[in-house]
Amino acid sequence: MSWTTLLSLSNPLSPSLHRSLTLTRPNRSAAPISCLSVDVSSPDLTQIQPSIHEKKITSSEIIADEKKFIVGTYARAPLVLSSGKGCKLYDVEGREYLDLTSGIAVNALGHGDPDWVRAVTQQAEVLTHVSNVYYSVPQVELAKRLVEGSFADRVFFCNSGTEANEAAIKFSRKFQRFSRPDEKNPPIEFIAFTNSFHGRTIGALALTNKEHYRTPFEPIMPGVTFLEYGDTQAAVQLIRSGKIAAVFVEPIQGEGGIYSATQEFLQSVRGACDDVGCLLVFDEVQCGLGRTGYLWAHEAFNVYPDIMTLAKPLAGGLPIGAVLVTEKVNSAINFGDHGSTFAGNPLVCAAGITVLDKISDPSFLSDVSEKGNYFKELLAKKLGHNSHVREIRGFGLIIGIELDVSASPLVDACRESGLLVLTAGKGNVVRIVPPLVITKEELDQATEVLASCLPVLDQEIKN
């Protein structure tokens, strides 16, 4: 056995020693040295398969394979994306698209942000995952930043928005039992609202208003009452019944159609919750973290929750969710009450630190607010006169264009013209959630495409 082989079986070599040993091999064509029973013979280069990035493949081939191998839960647009930079995306044939979807409000810093790439790359080289059996530095650092920048005292990490809302459901029920130890039947029910969307797992689904999401999977979690979004009187009355563990509300509804709560509504709900010991949960999975021009959407209303759920933009494209809670709520939670294998691992938290640091900069948030106002004024000027446009609404860079017909033909026409937007509401709202780094020039370009595609709505009616 050679000296270099013996060394390879002991402690890892320092990089310099490894180089000095391996570079002294005199003949690179000589047969490789074997190590114990491990076969390290030279590979047959003709048998090596090209990587996915080297293969020449068409969109139609990918779409055909998807239909064969992927469970059919998504009605996908016929578009196969392969790369992105900034606010631009490119399909496998090289066509360019201006992205006003940002992965459904996920890619807040756009695609390939250099600071984000650097953070993820450096962390991946050091430590990716260790599980929550142990401590890790990035997780604690991200939690510290979230607490310092919010109402909260503690953070629980998970992997998605629906998981965050599931945790909030559990924390709410546990809190009610903890805070009322002498009550045989503490409050266990919930209030959610029309047009709400809180996720697709059974608990979060029970809080989601759209029946077609819930009906195929019934029976789902009982004890949820849906009230009209913004109906202060009905909400206060039900909260004061003493049956409600928590009220779940989106300060700005995304999937529901870009509807904003009012300050009076949120303040009244907050007051009623305080009166009876009910918890107020703000779901900011889509509207939080800079999307409105505020770090948190509820800051615009000067109303603060007991629990806030986050996810989409927090790690800039990597899967993460977070539940922010007050110390009051945290006091009810014990070891083993909840957990997650992958949650808050070093890789996603390193990404989250970079995203949070950049977005929480006051100048960044001010820029989002300014661009949002600019964009809404531009849309009103260019689209507002169209007979199909009912309303243009939103906050910062979460904007909805409500139509009197289905928005799908317009979304399809925009995609064919190189612009990506989404639908929302009952399918009649164009949802615009671009990367927060989008430029005014790109907003100008997007407006021109939207305006040029509006005639397709008349054609659809004629057909």
Side-chain angles (χ1 to χ4, degrees):
M1 184 178 294
S2 71
W3 175 238
T4 54
T5 305
L6 284 171
L7 281 172
S8 71
L9 297 175
S10 62
N11 292 330
L13 304 176
S14 69
S16 58
L17 179 56
H18 183 270
R19 283 193 298 271
S20 67
L21 289 170
T22 55
L23 292 178
T24 55
R25 182 179 292 178
N27 183 2
R28 295 192 177 197
S29 62
I33 301 169
S34 63
C35 175
L36 301 181
S37 61
V38 179
D39 183 4
V40 293
S41 58
S42 299
D44 181 354
L45 297 180
T46 63
Q47 299 300 312
I48 295 178
Q49 295 295 316
S51 75
I52 190 169
H53 300 292
E54 295 170 333
K55 292 179 180 178
K56 296 295 183 183
I57 194 163
T58 65
S59 291
S60 59
E61 290 174 309
I62 289 289
I63 291 170
D65 281 349
E66 188 271 351
K67 293 184 185 305
K68 281 197 244 178
F69 300 113
I70 304 292
V71 175
T73 59
Y74 300 108
R76 303 180 198 264
L79 176 60
V80 180
L81 297 168
S82 63
S83 64
K85 189 65 179 175
C87 296
K88 302 291 178 62
L89 284 167
Y90 301 88
D91 67 15
V92 294
E93 282 81 21
R95 289 185 289 263
E96 181 182 279
Y97 300 84
L98 178 57
D99 179 18
L100 267 63
T101 73
S102 57
I104 315 184
V106 168
N107 301 103
L109 301 181
H111 305 279
D113 174 81
D115 295 322
W116 183 91
V117 170
R118 189 179 305 112
V120 171
T121 303
Q122 290 177 351
Q123 186 60 49
E125 290 177 341
V126 177
L127 187 67
T128 299
H129 174 78
V130 292
S131 95
N132 289 300
V133 171
Y134 309 103
Y135 300 91
S136 65
V137 175
Q139 184 181 103
V140 176
E141 285 299 316
L142 178 56
K144 188 186 301 183
R145 282 167 163 80
L146 287 168
V147 166
E148 290 172 348
S150 73
F151 72 95
D153 300 301
R154 304 291 184 110
V155 180
F156 172 82
F157 288 111
C158 51
N159 305 288
S160 66
T162 192
E163 287 185 37
N165 285 320
E166 287 285 341
I169 291 169
K170 290 180 68 176
F171 292 173
S172 297
R173 282 190 169 169
K174 181 69 188 301
F175 171 79
Q176 294 299 345
R177 286 187 167 86
F178 172 83
S179 62
R180 306 167 195 259
D182 298 327
E183 291 188 25
K184 185 177 180 180
N185 298 304
I188 61 170
E189 297 184 16
F190 298 95
I191 293 175
F193 295 93
T194 54
N195 301 314
S196 61
F197 183 86
H198 296 289
R200 296 179 187 270
T201 50
I202 291 296
L205 191 61
L207 298 167
T208 294
N209 182 237
K210 290 186 177 181
E211 289 189 9
H212 69 271
Y213 286 149
R214 301 196 328 265
T215 302
F217 309 104
E218 292 177 340
I220 54 179
M221 183 184 75
V224 179
T225 300
F226 291 102
L227 300 177
E228 189 71 25
Y229 186 68
D231 189 335
T232 300
Q233 183 177 353
V236 169
Q237 182 177 349
L238 186 52
I239 292 167
R240 288 181 174 162
S241 71
K243 299 178 181 179
I244 305 302
V247 179
F248 278 73
V249 59
E250 300 157 274
I252 298 174
Q253 295 182 325
E255 174 77 14
I258 321 299
Y259 292 107
S260 174
T262 65
Q263 186 173 35
E264 186 271 336
F265 170 66
L266 294 179
Q267 284 179 337
S268 297
V269 170
R270 173 75 275 176
C273 287
D274 290 339
D275 290 342
V276 299
C278 176
L279 296 181
L280 178 59
V281 182
F282 282 164
D283 179 340
E284 295 211 14
V285 167
Q286 185 162 166
C287 65
L289 199 56
R291 175 70 43 194
T292 62
Y294 293 85
L295 187 57
W296 314 117
H298 64 263
E299 292 178 329
F301 308 99
N302 197 31
V303 180
Y304 297 87
D306 302 294
I307 299 175
M308 176 171 67
T309 57
L310 304 174
K312 288 181 179 293
L314 183 53
L318 296 180
I320 192 172
V323 187
L324 278 61
V325 303
T326 61
E327 191 60 46
K328 176 179 73 172
V329 176
N330 176 69
S331 65
I333 309 303
N334 296 322
F335 295 149
D337 278 348
H338 202 45
S340 173
T341 297
F342 293 101
N345 71 45
L347 184 67
V348 298
C349 286
I353 290 168
T354 297
V355 173
L356 182 59
D357 283 354
K358 295 189 81 164
I359 291 178
S360 60
D361 186 315
S363 63
F364 187 100
L365 293 170
S366 176
D367 189 49
V368 171
S369 183
E370 181 185 347
K371 288 185 292 193
N373 291 332
Y374 173 82
F375 194 26
K376 278 186 290 183
E377 290 175 5
L378 191 61
L379 290 170
K381 180 180 177 181
K382 297 285 188 177
L383 279 65
H385 61 84
N386 188 279
S387 62
H388 296 295
V389 176
R390 286 180 173 175
E391 186 181 12
I392 298 170
R393 55 179 177 260
F395 236 103
L397 288 173
I398 177 168
I399 295 172
I401 304 170
E402 183 176 347
L403 307 174
D404 66 354
V405 292
S406 170
S408 294
L410 179 57
V411 170
D412 293 343
C414 286
R415 184 180 65 251
E416 293 298 318
S417 299
L419 177 69
L420 303 182
V421 291
L422 302 163
T423 61
K426 296 179 174 62
N428 65 322
V429 177
V430 178
R431 178 174 22 166
I432 299 174
V433 283
L436 303 183
V437 296
I438 196 166
T439 65
K440 287 185 177 179
E441 290 74 19
E442 288 170 325
L443 294 175
D444 291 341
Q445 178 188 344
T447 305
E448 291 301 323
V449 174
L450 280 162
S452 69
C453 291
L454 276 177
V456 75
L457 299 176
D458 293 320
Q459 296 171 15
E460 189 71 15
I461 291 173
K462 290 177 182 178
N463 293 335

